[in-house]
Amino acid sequence: MKGINKRKNISENNILVAKEYDQKFNNVELDYQGAADKRTSWLAEMKYRTSIFNHHRREFFDRFPLLGYSLKRIFFAIITLLLAICVIFILLRLVTSDDIYISDIDINKLNILPGTPEYNNLLEQRMKIFGVYGSIWTQLGTYLYNIIPFFKKTIIVNSAFDPVTGQLVGDKITTFFYLGVVFSTAVAQPGELVSEIFAKAIPYSFAFGSVAVLLAYLIGVPLGIISAKNKERSVDNTINAASIIFLAIPPVVLVVGVYLISINAFYAHGLFSSGTFYTKFWPVFAIFLMITPPIVINTRRYVIDEMTADYNNFALSKGMTNRYIFYIHIFRNAGIQIFRLLPTAFVTTIFGASIFAEQNWSIPGMSKFIVSGVGNKDSFVVMGYILLTATSGIITSLLADIIMAVLDPRVKLTK
């Protein structure tokens, strides 16, 4: 009897223990299920909020497609620009020796010999000031930080070697945008800020380039229209032949020819600084001859394409006059293609075609910086010029697309 009761008590204890473990397991399972439910609800809420945000974003950009297109173009343009800057910076840094960063300091006067600890210390301090000390990736990161205009930078300018302390001293300035300094005397005064010399030179390039582009469009577009209206006639053949001849002449030969003719035939001054307004006309004329032929040829092509379109015959059958059809329909459609190239032509003239004219007439524009900077391996000047031209090209390309979308209702910026 006692044995039976003992076995009964043991079985009851086992049942209680089993129930206790079952209860613990159920609690663990419920806790796990509760945590899973919470995690699922959190993910569902995030997906819901993301879908709502995407819906409002699509709705906003559908209402303002031009803004969405512009932001997308600007984003990809900035990425492309940064990649180009990285590649060019690394290539320039690899071909630039470290000695150039102290080329404006007379180390002989300071009794410092190359290779000595004093020389290495001076070079190290100067490279740290210019942000070109350390690994190539550190230098690249410093340069990108300096050209991003969202943070204040404290830089040292007009640095000089103090023989007493053996340290470089200079003036500290705070700026948002820092392109570096000039090293070569062939470019400008060593130690001068690249942004300052660019600010002095851009007005000259802008003035000559803008006047030349304006004259090229005022004269080239009417010539292209006249050529298109008289297709395959003597007037068309003459304008076409002249455009092709000037287009085939190398820019250097064309500019030098105009330069020599202006001096020998018209007795104009050869230097921009010593001449009158009559002298300043010839550089503009040389640039004009370089950029006008493509405008004439493109205008002729666009106008002829519109003149051969089917809607002309339909308009004539409706009783419209040729004059009305041309100026209301043909020229308006062709003009969209012609004038959308104006911003791009403006930039390529300032930073491209005007280089040859500025070099011959010694105009203090932007051309001398790229020519002298490349020749003397002045890396900051070259990088600054490339950054300026690339940024201008991106902006003008975006403006050209916006002009196209605004003027032509057939262009849709949405899918």
Side-chain angles (χ1 to χ4, degrees):
M1 189 71 180
K2 290 181 178 179
I4 295 173
N5 292 332
K6 187 177 181 180
R7 285 195 297 271
K8 185 177 180 181
N9 292 332
I10 293 174
S11 61
E12 289 178 355
N13 290 334
N14 291 336
I15 292 172
L16 292 174
V17 171
K19 286 182 177 181
E20 184 179 353
Y21 275 106
D22 290 341
Q23 185 65 32
K24 290 182 179 180
F25 177 77
N26 290 333
N27 292 337
V28 171
E29 186 177 14
L30 290 174
D31 292 340
Y32 176 79
Q33 185 67 32
D37 292 341
K38 289 180 181 179
R39 186 164 58 252
T40 303
S41 61
W42 180 80
L43 291 174
E45 183 179 358
M46 288 297 297
K47 289 181 180 180
Y48 174 73
R49 291 183 181 276
T50 304
S51 62
I52 292 296
F53 173 78
N54 290 330
H55 172 73
H56 288 304
R57 178 179 58 82
R58 287 192 296 267
E59 187 179 43
F60 176 79
F61 287 129
D62 287 341
R63 291 177 58 189
F64 306 99
L66 192 59
L67 177 61
Y69 175 79
S70 301
L71 292 176
K72 186 184 296 184
R73 282 288 305 271
I74 291 172
F75 174 76
F76 287 109
I78 291 175
I79 298 298
T80 305
L81 179 61
L82 290 177
L83 291 176
I85 289 174
C86 293
V87 172
I88 296 172
F89 180 88
I90 293 173
L91 293 176
L92 284 175
R93 191 65 189 90
L94 291 176
V95 300
T96 303
S97 62
D98 294 341
D99 297 337
I100 195 173
Y101 299 113
I102 57 172
S103 58
D104 59 316
I105 297 177
D106 190 355
I107 59 176
N108 295 324
K109 185 181 295 185
L110 299 173
N111 295 322
I112 297 177
L113 297 177
T116 59
E118 293 81 6
Y119 180 87
N120 294 332
N121 180 49
L122 174 62
L123 181 60
E124 179 181 335
Q125 291 182 57
R126 201 74 185 278
M127 293 177 69
K128 286 181 179 179
I129 289 176
F130 295 147
V132 290
Y133 184 76
S135 66
I136 189 67
W137 306 113
T138 303
Q139 299 175 35
L140 178 60
T142 302
Y143 185 79
L144 293 177
Y145 174 77
N146 288 335
I147 64 175
I148 296 176
F150 301 125
F151 314 100
K152 283 186 177 181
K153 298 98 180 175
T154 301
I155 59 174
I156 298 177
V157 297
N158 302 323
S159 60
F161 182 75
D162 187 355
V164 177
T165 61
Q167 302 292 324
L168 284 173
V169 294
D171 302 326
K172 290 185 177 181
I173 63 172
T174 302
T175 181
F176 283 94
F177 187 66
Y178 179 59
L179 288 176
V181 297
V182 178
F183 300 129
S184 174
T185 55
V187 178
Q189 182 68 28
E192 193 171 359
L193 293 176
V194 174
S195 56
E196 290 183 356
I197 64 172
F198 282 1
K200 297 175 184 177
I202 285 178
Y204 291 97
S205 297
F206 180 84
F208 281 94
S210 58
V211 172
V213 170
L214 181 61
L215 291 176
Y217 268 86
L218 289 177
I219 297 176
V221 171
L223 286 177
I225 293 173
I226 294 172
S227 180
K229 281 186 171 182
N230 297 275
K231 182 183 177 183
E232 298 180 354
R233 297 179 185 175
S234 58
V235 175
D236 178 35
N237 294 333
T238 302
I239 295 175
N240 248 344
S243 300
I244 293 173
I245 290 172
F246 281 106
L247 193 61
I249 298 175
V252 176
V253 176
L254 183 62
V255 172
V256 172
V258 173
Y259 178 75
L260 295 176
I261 291 173
S262 67
I263 294 175
N264 298 321
F266 296 93
Y267 304 105
H269 289 279
L271 294 176
F272 168 80
S273 58
S274 62
T276 60
F277 176 79
Y278 181 66
T279 301
K280 295 176 177 61
F281 160 79
W282 291 105
V284 176
F285 182 69
I287 300 173
F288 167 82
L289 292 180
M290 285 189 288
I291 64 177
T292 302
I295 296 174
V296 175
I297 293 173
N298 287 331
T299 301
R300 178 184 181 275
R301 178 167 67 89
Y302 293 138
V303 172
I304 289 177
D305 289 343
E306 296 298 329
M307 289 176 65
T308 56
D310 294 335
Y311 67 79
N312 291 296
N313 296 327
F314 178 76
L316 288 173
S317 66
K318 298 284 288 184
M320 299 180 184
T321 63
N322 289 326
R323 183 182 181 88
Y324 180 87
I325 294 172
F326 182 83
Y327 288 105
I328 300 300
H329 297 288
I330 294 176
F331 182 71
R332 185 175 66 177
N333 292 331
I336 295 172
Q337 300 290 338
I338 296 169
F339 293 105
R340 73 179 294 265
L341 301 176
L342 180 59
T344 305
F346 182 74
V347 171
T348 54
T349 300
I350 292 178
F351 298 106
S354 62
I355 290 178
F356 304 102
E358 291 177 5
Q359 286 293 107
N360 280 272
W361 275 273
S362 298
I363 300 173
M366 293 292 294
S367 65
K368 67 176 182 179
F369 299 128
I370 187 62
V371 175
S372 302
V374 172
N376 294 275
K377 295 181 180 180
D378 203 325
S379 56
F380 283 140
V381 174
V382 177
M383 284 298 304
Y385 190 91
I386 293 173
L387 177 64
L388 182 61
T389 55
T391 305
S392 302
I394 290 171
I395 293 174
T396 53
S397 177
L398 178 61
L399 287 176
D401 291 342
I402 293 176
I403 290 173
M404 184 74 174
V406 171
L407 295 180
D408 193 350
R410 297 170 295 181
V411 175
K412 301 295 182 183
L413 300 178
T414 56
K415 294 182 180 179

